[in-house]
Amino acid sequence: MTVHDPETKSELKKELDATLQTRKELGPEYESELVDGFLDKVDRKIDDTIDRHVRRHLAERQMAAARGARPRPADTGPASFGERFGFAAISLVLAIPLSAIGVANAQLPGLLVTWAGIVGVNALNSAGVFPWSRHRGPHDEA
């Protein structure tokens, strides 16, 4: 189950709809708790997905090492398309609650600042500014 999986999207959409409906029923005084609860669920989904991918990647590397194979060039080069796409996808999933928080607290300026941050983080990641997105040397461990 990944962020791109229709089942996961459907689950998150249902959770968001339920959170918004609950907010309508309880009122704005419980908004912070509701948003925190929704973000916790999104975090758990993301953590589960990342854990699964990391375990699979480590298992693949262990199998390759056991066979005596050299690492693939994608393992030692700059961030692959999949890594960049995954980073962008996760930031867009998180953009939903962040946008809601920005609008709830500062209306249009809050939304604009939120999206400027999202675009900025994605631009910096694709430019390789972050340490995890830089080229790894042949002797570096991932």
Side-chain angles (χ1 to χ4, degrees), residues 5-21:
D5 181 22
E7 184 178 320
T8 301
K9 285 182 181 180
S10 176
E11 285 179 36
L12 288 176
K13 185 176 181 335
K14 287 178 186 175
E15 290 290 339
L16 180 60
D17 289 342
T19 300
L20 293 174
Q21 186 62 35

Side-chain angles (χ1 to χ4, degrees), residues 12-28 30-31 34-35 38 41 96-97 99-101 104:
L12 288 176
K13 185 176 181 335
K14 287 178 186 175
E15 290 290 339
L16 180 60
D17 289 342
T19 300
L20 293 174
Q21 186 62 35
T22 304
R23 190 233 182 243
K24 287 179 186 175
E25 293 172 8
L26 296 178
Y30 292 101
E31 184 172 308
L34 292 170
V35 170
F38 177 74
K41 291 174 187 175
I96 296 167
S99 296
I101 293 168

Side-chain angles (χ1 to χ4, degrees), residues 17-139:
D17 289 342
T19 300
L20 293 174
Q21 186 62 35
T22 304
R23 190 233 182 243
K24 287 179 186 175
E25 293 172 8
L26 296 178
E29 57 272 4
Y30 292 101
E31 184 172 308
S32 176
E33 291 84 1
L34 292 170
V35 170
D36 288 343
F38 177 74
L39 288 176
D40 286 342
K41 291 174 187 175
V42 171
D43 282 343
R44 281 194 299 272
K45 290 273 189 205
I46 292 170
D47 288 344
D48 291 345
T49 302
I50 290 171
D51 287 345
R52 228 179 358 270
H53 286 288
V54 168
R55 281 194 305 270
R56 187 182 71 220
H57 181 72
L58 289 175
E60 288 172 357
R61 289 186 69 165
Q62 287 175 346
M63 291 293 289
R67 293 181 188 138
R70 294 181 143 202
R72 293 174 294 163
D75 289 343
T76 57
S80 69
F81 172 77
E83 291 170 337
R84 291 189 316 268
F85 185 79
F87 186 89
I90 289 172
S91 70
L92 289 175
V93 167
L94 292 175
I96 296 167
L98 290 174
S99 296
I101 293 168
V103 168
N105 290 319
Q107 287 77 38
L108 182 59
L111 181 65
L112 295 176
V113 168
T114 300
W115 276 95
I118 292 165
V119 169
V121 166
N122 279 285
L124 292 173
N125 183 59
S126 66
V129 173
F130 297 123
W132 61 81
S133 62
R134 288 192 190 128
H135 178 70
R136 293 186 298 235
H139 302 292

